[in-house]
Amino acid sequence: MMTSKAPTKAFVWVWLPGNTDPIVAGRLDQEGEQLAFTYGQSYLEREKALPLSRFELPLKPGSQSPSGHLAMAGCLRDASPDAWGRRVIMNKTIGQESRDADPVVLSELTYLLESGSDRIGALDFQVSPREYVPRQTQQASLVELLESAERVQEGIPLSPDLDLALMHGSSIGGARPKAMLEHDDTKYIAKFAAQSDPYNVVKGEFIAMRLAGLCGLNVANVELTQAMGKDVLLVDRFDRCHTDSGWHRLLMQSALTLLRLDGMTARYASYEDLADLIRKDFCNPNETLRELFARLVFNILCGNTDDHARNHAAFWDGEVYTLTPAYDICPQNRTGNETGQAMLILGNVNASRLTTCLEASHRFHLGEDQAREIISSQIEVIHSHWAGVCDEAGMSEVDRNFYWQRQFLNPFSLEGFGGTAK
């Protein structure tokens, strides 16, 4: 349980590449409205120490404050709980009042120190610089986790055991209900339906992720299962690697962090700027640019307009970045045809149209013919595999009609492209 006094510092622990145990990297201190970071001397003296971020936290002694208006370095904020995790922590700390409470009633350091230790990436936050004590989870079934998620949405306090179980996933990003599971040699993120869902969002994400893989995109593996008669999406955690000696954790940074933006400035994030960054700092830049372009195209073809910069990420090994598998490809509800992507595509244009992709193709080192080939191939795959993937999901005729040519292959998206789109 948290104390009545808000914490003023936290120690940042990191799993270096290839290691199964963490070491302390440095300390976070509350300085006014910001959290400043200082590397520990022992970490700086390590032969294989790597900067937690090339841009934000270079390896050097002394306090490093976040730039500009940022409350904390983005590479650390990436490991902090997002909307759903904050709701879980608020449920634990303030109970019934959490349903209508503003998340700012708790400090950033509180969220860091109260959330689960098995967070995305390879960082964790502790009260001690000498002893690492993971915030353990109570093992729970999918049914128990689903029941707990529903109680949190209603603002109902959890029992101590289920409180621990759901807290395990409180450090995951995103706004939708979810939890973490481990089975044999695989770790999963379990995604549940939200009480406010007007349609089957879980199955919609499943078919989008499946079709993205069939289109040749590098995507996280997904499975669809049920608990209490409700659909649950299981997503493989690609930031974990199981070995005989234990789990390796992979350092990750979101595109929001790489673009040096935060939640307040996320609207300025663009595929164009991310492509520029890939050319300079990523391994295999040409292949990565093609992959990013293909993801942009698929997001438009499947109606995923929630492709914001925290839904793109890269692994960081201390030298270069590598694009992670795609995740959170979830078709969004739309009441009309005309819409835009969450990230800008070219200049100030974000229109969810294939013609916008063609105009931007040169920014991805692609000729128009290459771009058209990628687009046409994806349209063909969606057409030919739609029925089979919907059958695999057990999707009803009503749900299929809801998604088809509304989210998937919406006429506005295809307008002006011609060829295969017809």
Side-chain angles (χ1 to χ4, degrees):
M1 294 293 293
M2 62 172 282
T3 62
S4 58
K5 185 178 180 181
T8 58
K9 65 181 177 182
F11 293 91
V12 182
W13 291 66
V14 61
W15 281 256
L16 292 176
N19 290 357
T20 56
D21 294 311
I23 59 170
V24 66
R27 188 185 69 238
L28 269 177
D29 291 289
Q30 189 79 51
E31 293 185 356
E33 297 299 315
Q34 292 185 313
L35 292 174
F37 177 80
T38 305
Y39 281 110
Q41 188 60 37
S42 62
Y43 185 79
L44 291 173
E45 293 172 353
R46 291 184 70 91
E47 183 180 350
K48 295 185 178 180
L50 56 80
L52 300 186
S53 168
R54 170 185 291 171
F55 309 112
E56 298 179 296
L57 298 176
L59 282 176
K60 65 179 184 180
S63 176
Q64 300 187 56
S65 297
S67 61
H69 60 279
L70 297 179
M72 61 192 299
C75 62
L76 303 179
R77 176 62 179 86
D78 285 339
S80 179
D82 212 338
W84 170 251
R86 292 173 185 237
R87 287 190 66 180
V88 174
I89 293 168
M90 289 172 65
N91 180 280
K92 174 187 177 185
T93 55
I94 61 178
Q96 190 101 22
E97 300 174 9
S98 66
R99 184 172 187 176
D100 301 314
D102 191 320
V104 299
V105 299
L106 300 179
S107 69
E108 285 296 328
L109 281 175
T110 297
Y111 285 120
L112 293 176
L113 291 170
E114 290 287 324
S115 50
S117 289
D118 197 11
R119 64 188 72 242
I120 299 300
L123 299 179
D124 193 21
F125 304 89
Q126 296 278 308
V127 296
S128 170
R130 290 173 292 277
E131 183 183 11
Y132 179 78
V133 182
R135 289 174 287 283
Q136 296 288 0
T137 177
Q138 188 80 13
Q139 290 298 317
S141 67
L142 263 181
V143 170
E144 291 171 320
L145 290 169
L146 180 56
E147 288 177 335
S148 300
E150 290 180 346
R151 289 172 70 88
V152 167
Q153 292 178 80
E154 295 169 4
I156 301 172
L158 302 176
S159 68
D161 284 350
L162 291 183
D163 193 13
L164 284 172
L166 203 59
M167 283 295 292
H168 185 46
S170 62
S171 54
I172 316 173
R176 295 185 57 78
K178 55 180 68 71
M180 290 187 185
L181 292 173
E182 182 177 335
H183 181 66
D184 294 334
D185 296 341
T186 307
K187 294 195 177 193
Y188 302 94
I189 294 174
K191 295 187 172 185
F192 310 118
Q195 293 177 346
S196 58
D197 286 346
Y199 57 98
N200 198 320
V201 175
V202 173
K203 282 185 176 177
E205 184 170 353
F206 173 80
I207 61 173
M209 292 287 284
R210 271 281 197 264
L211 286 169
L214 291 168
C215 285
L217 299 184
N218 177 21
V219 299
N221 293 324
V222 293
E223 300 175 32
L224 193 63
T225 187
Q226 285 200 331
M228 297 170 55
K230 299 180 180 180
D231 295 309
V232 180
L233 183 69
L234 299 180
V235 185
D236 282 13
R237 290 192 61 179
F238 48 73
D239 63 333
R240 296 292 184 267
C241 179
H242 188 266
T243 68
D244 291 339
S245 57
W247 289 96
H248 291 176
R249 304 191 182 195
L250 304 180
L251 277 163
M252 283 173 51
Q253 292 176 21
S254 70
L256 192 69
T257 289
L258 295 177
L259 294 170
R260 307 187 195 188
L261 302 171
D262 68 355
M264 298 295 292
T265 56
R267 64 186 181 277
Y268 300 115
S270 74
Y271 282 95
E272 193 175 12
D273 289 342
L274 183 53
D276 288 342
L277 196 65
I278 287 171
R279 277 192 290 274
K280 294 185 296 183
D281 296 304
F282 278 61
C283 65
N284 303 318
N286 287 331
E287 293 176 22
T288 304
L289 287 169
R290 183 184 179 92
E291 171 75 13
L292 182 63
F293 180 82
R295 293 184 188 187
L296 165 61
V297 169
F298 188 81
N299 282 333
I300 289 175
L301 290 177
C302 79
N304 176 32
T305 53
D306 193 37
D307 56 339
H308 56 79
R310 290 202 75 181
N311 279 343
H312 299 273
F315 295 123
W316 166 240
D317 66 2
E319 295 183 4
V320 294
Y321 294 98
T322 306
L323 201 64
T324 70
Y327 56 95
D328 281 354
I329 303 178
C330 187
Q332 302 296 302
N333 193 19
R334 61 203 288 179
T335 54
N337 284 336
E338 187 170 347
T339 190
Q341 298 305 116
M343 282 175 54
L344 299 170
I345 300 173
L346 186 65
N348 291 320
V349 178
N350 72 331
S352 304
R353 304 181 73 167
L354 298 176
T355 51
T356 310
C357 297
L358 289 178
E359 292 172 10
S361 60
H362 66 284
R363 304 293 296 180
F364 300 84
H365 284 186
L366 295 170
E368 183 174 332
D369 288 346
Q370 292 173 299
R372 283 186 173 275
E373 181 182 352
I374 291 170
I375 294 170
S376 298
S377 174
Q378 289 193 15
I379 293 173
E380 185 176 340
V381 167
I382 292 171
H383 270 288
S384 60
H385 290 278
W386 173 256
V389 172
C390 287
D391 288 344
E392 184 183 357
M395 184 170 277
S396 68
E397 194 65 30
V398 171
D399 282 338
R400 296 183 198 211
N401 292 337
F402 176 84
Y403 277 106
W404 187 249
Q405 292 189 325
R406 185 176 178 179
Q407 280 87 357
F408 287 85
L409 305 186
N410 185 284
F412 174 77
S413 303
L414 307 175
E415 195 174 286
F417 179 72
T420 307
K422 296 180 180 179

